[in-house]
Amino acid sequence: MATRIVMSKLSPTMEEGRVLQWLKQEGDKVESGDVVVEVETDKANMEVEAMGSGVLRKILIPQDTTVPTGTVLGVIAGEDEDIADLLAAAGPTTTAPAAEPAGPQEASEAEAAPIAQPVGTAAGGEAESAEDGRIKASPLARRIASERGIALQRIRGSGPGGRIVKRDVEMAAQAAAVSGAGIPSELGAEVPFEQVELSQIRKAIARNLAESLGPIPHFYLTVEIDMGRTLRLRAELNRSLEGQGIKIGVNDILLKTAAQALLAHPGVNASFAGDHIRRFQRVDIGIAVAVPDGLIAPVLRDVGNKGLLQISEEMADLIERARDKKLMPQEYQGSTFTISNLGMYGIDEFTAVINPPAATILAVGATQEKAVVVDGAIEIRSRMRVTLSCDHRVVDGAMGAEFLATFRSMLENPLRLVL
Amino acid sequence: MPKMENLQESYDFVVIGAGPGGYVAAIRAAQLGLSVACVEAETREGGLGGVCLNWGCIPAKALLESAALARHVRDDAADFGVKVNDIQLDIAAAVSRSRQVSDRLTKGIKYLFDKNGVTTILGHARLAGAKKVEIELKEGGATSISAKNIVVATGSRPKTFSGFEFDGDRVISSREALELKKPPERIVIVGAGSTGMEFADVFNAFGSDVTIVEALPQLLPLEDEEVANVVGRSFKKRRIQVKTNTSVKSLEKLASGLRVTVATKKGDEAIECGTLLMAVGRRPNTDDLGLEVAGVELDESGWIRVDEYCRTSAEGIFAIGDVAGPPMLAHKASHEGIIAAERAAGDSSHPLNPANIPSCTYCHPEVASVGRTEKQALEDGFEVKVGKFPFSANGRALTAGAPDGMVKIVADAKYGEVLGVHMVGHNVTELIAEATLGRVLETTVEELANTVHAHPTLSEAVMEAALAALDRVIHI
């Protein structure tokens, strides 16, 4: 039986994906489960597996082509099977690819997890642009738009029946050049600039974070924490682990501490869901990781029930795969809390933009030696400033402050972590 | 006055001129529910259809078919296995046939007018203020009708140079050339635009000694140079004297004939002939129309000034077709007629894109084009990719015994936009529609190349030229 290979919606924010590489060619034999094509989603590069066996009869979407989700990429069928109907129906489909998720099945599992549902504003924003797969545009308009990196979805057509024609794309390109990249237009005309096309991940970041700071009422709480004891504990732990090839990082301790504090303050481990608030009973923490063309926050699940060693090992693996763009969607979606640490860049303190659907994010600055008054005397202490960004629809000032107080107290008395 | 029985005092839409612009405007306006009258001044019996049907496109094409058949029988028939002895050419019969075709079509317009409830008024109309038209009726007397909207569609007529005035006998225009009783022994045609080229073709086929004189460096000066050169070679092969870079200086009328003095790059030259056909352009029919009274302005060259919806400077008055300026093409006039009618009826209408108006010349081999020539595209700053395919490699053309010519596509190298398509060869005037549609729909060469074209057809040459523009040509 013929099966389709579809550009599945592999994440809630994914609207389109790019075919990176076909690993099978037309005419190649394919077994169910074979990886046939690599695609780039808005977050990661994914391998798409065959859902049926047969021969890769037709590649519909060539390499390096970006298509909306739901687009049929290719057809697997018996060698002599008639696939004319499938091919005829393979134009850009208007529905979600629910019928045949050719991507890894975990994708749907991830969606089934309570925390992974896109909620509130995030979902609303997406539906608009994804409403119709068919865009009426002349071949020339399509060609110019694709070569100049202009999304047809955002252009209003002036041709018959709203068809997008050449002049519409040219006007859109002009408008983009004038207002583009936040450069004031009078500068844009004179200052030379390099035009950097948006990668899928950069598009996703732009969309998500604009959705975040726009509709989510942020407020920020900052606290300075004495890290002396935590650093000493870390040194001791690492000495005890010497020779085992494992090192506990500050981040690992921050993860563990945050998880404990969140379990103590479930109101902060929450999400705004339109007509209700979800207080999650498990702590899944995302750690923001810089990757070459953006950032991604791999999620460590159920941190509250994991020890430091396990946290350290799992995080190292996640971070490495994040940098290689090898994460599966369920590995970077649906955190209940996020930590962003710019301490290694020497940043004293900063505020972070909430990564929906979570209601909070913790921005961690550098640990620095400072002169501090302790019991009436000046002492040199290692101090770290953290700032909690809160979605005010979920977290109030006092609630956030209480969480931070617990978080600080635990880091200042880290032996409690061992308990 | 039996014909004028149903004449109303006032109409929503009055069209002056029943040529291919005016009659189409009248029909479209009637379709849209307007009350419509169309006034035609032509004195020929039947008379509707303007120059196109009476004195232009249609009778000329009928004669060109006679010419093609004559050449085919004389030059090719034996090769095709059809032996014909004792060929006699009878231009009077050819002319008579052309008149019959013309009559049939003009009657068709009367039928369409009646069917759509358009009042036909034969006579000379003048604007009398913005909303009034006075008519001297052909059958005698005068009348006056008021009109909410008026369309001036009075067309154009041949012009000539000073010193070369038409005499209707030896110095003639296309109009007289269509009704010659016998082919001139020696004819000089001045002007190698489509009119001059077509008559050169006809008279050559009927045995005249033809010289065609053009002031510019190439025949068909508006067409692509390579295309024009193909026609030039074909004409020379048929012993038509081609004189480009040559302008006429003076004319002497002798008892024995005409002596035309021309200036060439090498100096002056005298050509003697019996007939001189002046095909040097046309001028607008704007006289005695009351345009000034109505406040209709002309441009510097004397054409009526209009906007993209054919509106003149006077409220409620439109101008379409030749009288509103070049290109002087019947199909341009018809489309403008539709635009004016839809505007007047308050419907949305599309402005005409001049770059998408095809142009056809029916000499042999035929020439057809739409869009920019290669030279224009380069001048406009495009990086150009040209794809060409010769009919000598096209199966259908060879079966028709017509290997001359080619399809040439001028594409934008960056995006594959079809900037222009130029064709020369057998029946290419029928092939240009694909290119025009392609331009209107903004297809790129990729779609032209990927469209399945039936085999064997001449249209395969369009696909192959598109493939050539993509460096993927198959059959050469």
Side-chain angles (χ1 to χ4, degrees):
Chain A
M1 198 198 91
T3 47
R4 300 179 302 164
I5 305 161
V6 180
M7 181 66 78
S8 295
K9 194 173 172 73
L10 297 166
S11 75
T13 54
M14 179 174 167
E15 289 171 2
E16 56 182 22
R18 192 158 70 99
V19 174
L20 283 178
Q21 195 188 352
W22 282 94
L23 302 170
K24 300 277 182 184
Q25 301 308 316
E26 282 182 14
D28 284 1
K29 273 218 158 71
V30 176
E31 292 290 329
S32 179
D34 280 359
V35 176
V36 282
V37 60
E38 268 190 292
V39 300
E40 184 193 39
T41 74
D42 54 356
K43 291 283 190 188
N45 299 345
M46 302 279 311
E47 294 176 337
V48 178
E49 295 173 6
M51 299 301 285
S53 301
V55 170
L56 179 55
R57 290 282 299 279
K58 185 75 193 165
I59 289 178
L60 292 161
I61 306 297
Q63 197 164 308
D64 283 321
T65 309
T66 300
V67 292
T69 54
T71 305
V72 179
L73 306 177
V75 174
I76 296 167
E79 214 161 331
D80 302 310
E81 200 172 335
D82 182 7
I83 56 168
D85 286 355
L86 269 177
L87 292 181
T93 53
T94 54
T95 51
E100 298 210 35
Q105 285 193 305
E106 290 88 335
S108 49
E109 274 172 29
E111 284 195 351
I115 52 166
Q117 300 273 338
V119 290
T121 53
E126 224 173 279
E128 264 177 12
S129 47
E131 66 184 276
D132 186 359
R134 176 168 148 76
I135 298 168
K136 284 195 270 182
S138 77
L140 181 61
R142 283 180 196 280
R143 175 83 182 268
I144 295 173
S146 107
E147 301 230 342
R148 297 172 78 165
I150 299 161
L152 287 172
Q153 291 88 335
R154 287 170 179 77
I155 299 177
R156 183 183 295 266
S158 70
R163 192 170 189 250
I164 300 168
V165 294
K166 178 185 173 186
R167 67 168 171 268
D168 302 324
V169 179
E170 286 183 333
M171 277 170 63
Q174 249 168 27
V178 171
S179 69
I183 302 168
S185 53
E186 64 271 23
L187 281 180
E190 290 158 21
V191 181
F193 60 92
E194 180 200 5
Q195 185 163 329
V196 180
E197 303 302 342
L198 292 181
S199 62
Q200 294 298 334
I201 187 169
R202 178 54 56 197
K203 285 185 200 170
I205 290 168
R207 197 168 49 228
N208 287 356
L209 297 189
E211 270 170 13
S212 172
L213 205 49
I216 298 180
H218 283 60
F219 74 91
Y220 310 96
L221 300 169
T222 303
V223 69
E224 189 169 298
I225 301 170
D226 195 310
M227 291 293 284
R229 289 185 179 179
T230 292
L231 293 179
R232 282 196 290 280
L233 173 68
R234 174 175 167 256
E236 270 185 52
L237 284 170
N238 282 336
R239 259 200 302 283
S240 74
L241 291 167
E242 236 170 63
Q244 294 183 36
I246 300 171
K247 258 190 154 179
I248 306 289
V250 173
N251 271 344
D252 301 329
I253 297 174
L254 293 180
L255 270 163
K256 179 72 187 163
T257 313
Q260 300 287 67
L262 286 166
L263 286 173
H265 300 275
V268 179
N269 192 39
S271 173
F272 188 76
D275 59 353
H276 63 281
I277 289 169
R278 292 180 182 177
R279 288 191 174 169
F280 299 116
Q281 288 148 10
R282 195 175 79 194
V283 178
D284 290 0
I285 301 181
I287 280 272
V289 175
V291 292
D293 50 356
L295 81 160
I296 194 165
V299 180
L300 195 62
R301 305 281 170 199
D302 201 2
V303 186
N305 285 322
K306 285 177 179 166
L308 272 176
L309 272 182
Q310 194 182 353
I311 290 171
S312 175
E313 277 180 288
E314 288 187 17
M315 274 318 295
D317 171 53
L318 283 173
I319 288 168
E320 189 186 328
R321 286 192 295 121
R323 289 190 175 134
D324 294 341
K325 290 188 141 194
K326 290 269 163 65
L327 290 181
M328 308 292 274
Q330 72 275 12
E331 291 177 313
Y332 56 76
Q333 284 167 5
S335 56
T336 63
F337 184 77
T338 308
I339 294 175
S340 178
N341 188 345
L342 292 179
M344 58 290 248
Y345 297 102
I347 297 296
D348 293 335
E349 66 172 288
F350 69 105
T351 58
V353 179
I354 290 168
N355 182 24
T360 46
I361 185 169
L362 190 72
V364 179
T367 301
Q368 291 163 322
E369 292 200 333
K370 282 185 184 172
V372 184
V373 178
V374 183
D375 295 334
I378 292 174
E379 289 188 17
I380 294 173
R381 292 288 182 97
S382 294
R383 307 280 283 191
M384 175 182 81
R385 289 173 88 93
V386 299
T387 301
L388 184 71
S389 308
C390 304
D391 179 349
H392 215 325
R393 296 171 303 177
V394 178
V395 179
D396 294 318
M399 196 192 284
E402 282 166 19
F403 162 78
L404 276 183
T406 304
F407 182 71
R408 175 169 76 171
S409 150
M410 292 177 106
L411 283 172
E412 291 183 347
N413 302 285
L415 281 180
R416 283 164 64 183
L417 286 177
V418 183
L419 297 177
Chain B
M1 306 203 318
K3 272 186 198 161
M4 292 293 111
E5 253 168 16
N6 52 0
L7 186 62
Q8 297 165 210
E9 276 179 13
S10 116
Y11 288 88
D12 295 328
F13 197 77
V14 170
V15 184
I16 304 174
Y23 84 73
V24 169
I27 292 171
R28 182 69 188 122
Q31 283 177 345
L32 291 168
L34 304 185
S35 60
V36 183
C38 185
V39 189
E40 173 54 55
E42 167 64 46
T43 49
R44 184 169 175 257
E45 187 61 41
L48 302 179
V51 169
C52 166
L53 266 61
N54 292 283
W55 309 110
C57 321
I58 294 298
K61 261 85 270 182
L63 291 183
L64 282 152
E65 288 296 339
S66 291
L69 185 58
R71 255 197 313 273
H72 228 39
V73 171
R74 192 177 55 212
D75 303 338
D76 306 329
D79 284 350
F80 278 63
V82 180
K83 285 203 178 129
V84 183
N85 298 320
D86 189 24
I87 303 167
Q88 290 178 21
L89 300 179
D90 180 355
I91 202 169
V95 167
S96 160
R97 177 179 169 275
S98 78
R99 298 328 302 172
Q100 284 165 26
V101 174
S102 174
D103 287 347
R104 181 168 170 175
L105 287 167
T106 57
K107 279 186 194 123
I109 295 172
K110 183 68 175 82
Y111 160 79
L112 291 172
F113 274 6
D114 292 345
K115 180 185 153 198
N116 286 285
V118 174
T119 306
T120 309
I121 305 172
L122 298 178
H124 181 89
R126 271 180 215 92
L127 302 176
K131 307 276 175 195
K132 215 171 178 86
V133 178
E134 286 172 359
I135 305 159
E136 273 176 49
L137 296 170
K138 187 185 170 192
E139 57 192 26
T143 189
S144 164
I145 52 177
S146 63
K148 288 191 189 128
N149 294 282
I150 299 167
V151 177
V152 180
T154 49
S156 64
R157 61 183 186 277
K159 69 175 180 190
T160 187
F161 301 143
S162 154
F164 294 81
E165 282 76 17
F166 298 121
D167 63 16
D169 176 27
R170 293 191 292 180
V171 183
I172 60 172
S173 71
S174 53
R175 180 162 180 154
E176 292 82 24
L178 287 167
E179 288 199 300
L180 291 183
K181 300 284 182 297
K182 59 182 178 54
E185 204 171 303
R186 223 175 130 54
I187 183 170
V188 170
I189 297 172
V190 182
S194 56
T195 305
M197 294 295 281
E198 291 181 0
F199 280 109
D201 191 280
V202 168
F203 291 126
N204 168 260
F206 277 91
S208 300
D209 182 346
V210 178
T211 301
I212 186 162
V213 176
E214 170 57 51
L216 292 167
Q218 75 173 52
L219 296 176
L220 294 167
L222 298 178
E223 298 292 346
D224 193 85
E225 195 178 342
E226 264 183 290
V227 161
N229 289 343
V230 171
V231 182
R233 278 196 297 276
S234 173
F235 269 29
K236 283 172 196 163
K237 225 186 282 174
R238 279 182 267 151
R239 307 230 167 86
I240 296 173
Q241 308 257 356
V242 173
K243 289 185 173 295
T244 50
N245 284 314
T246 303
S247 51
V248 288
K249 278 180 83 174
S250 62
L251 171 67
E252 282 172 85
K253 292 186 175 180
L254 314 171
S256 59
L258 302 170
R259 180 182 293 149
V260 185
T261 305
V262 298
T264 71
K265 282 189 169 169
K266 293 178 202 147
D268 289 1
E269 223 177 274
I271 311 170
E272 304 220 338
C273 62
T275 309
L276 178 65
L277 168 59
M278 297 299 289
V280 293
R282 303 179 68 85
R283 48 188 292 214
N285 291 331
T286 47
D287 333 318
D288 197 17
L289 272 179
L291 295 178
E292 276 170 40
V293 179
V296 175
E297 284 173 20
L298 306 182
D299 69 14
E300 308 75 38
S301 313
W303 310 101
I304 295 177
R305 192 192 299 281
V306 290
D307 68 7
E308 75 263 41
Y309 293 110
C310 308
R311 293 175 291 203
T312 68
S313 53
E315 174 78 27
I317 301 182
F318 298 83
I320 60 171
D322 288 6
V323 77
M328 286 178 277
L329 298 165
H331 41 279
K332 174 237 181 199
S334 299
H335 265 266
E336 289 180 341
I338 290 171
I339 291 168
E342 291 179 348
R343 273 278 136 177
D347 253 40
S348 65
S349 57
H350 61 288
L352 206 54
N353 179 354
N356 287 343
I357 302 174
S359 154
C360 295
T361 303
Y362 293 75
C363 59
H364 296 89
E366 292 184 348
V367 173
S369 66
V370 65
R372 293 178 177 84
T373 62
E374 184 177 355
K375 196 163 158 244
Q376 286 164 350
L378 291 170
E379 283 167 3
D380 289 348
F382 286 93
E383 197 188 319
V384 165
K385 182 83 175 117
V386 173
K388 282 184 271 191
F389 190 80
F391 282 112
S392 57
N394 174 276
R396 187 71 189 91
L398 293 184
T399 62
D404 283 353
M406 65 170 164
V407 172
K408 173 175 177 177
I409 295 180
V410 180
D412 169 43
K414 198 164 175 204
Y415 300 122
E417 178 176 5
V418 178
L419 299 172
V421 180
H422 307 275
M423 302 173 169
V424 54
H426 183 57
N427 279 357
V428 294
T429 52
E430 298 297 330
L431 295 186
I432 199 65
E434 176 182 7
T436 309
L437 180 67
R439 276 191 48 81
V440 169
L441 294 180
E442 292 191 348
T443 44
T444 69
V445 277
E446 193 82 36
E447 287 78 34
L448 284 182
N450 292 349
T451 299
V452 179
H453 288 67
H455 175 79
T457 61
L458 298 172
S459 72
E460 286 174 283
V462 178
M463 173 181 71
E464 290 275 10
L467 284 166
L470 296 164
D471 296 320
R472 282 158 43 192
V473 67
I474 301 288
H475 288 97
I476 45 174

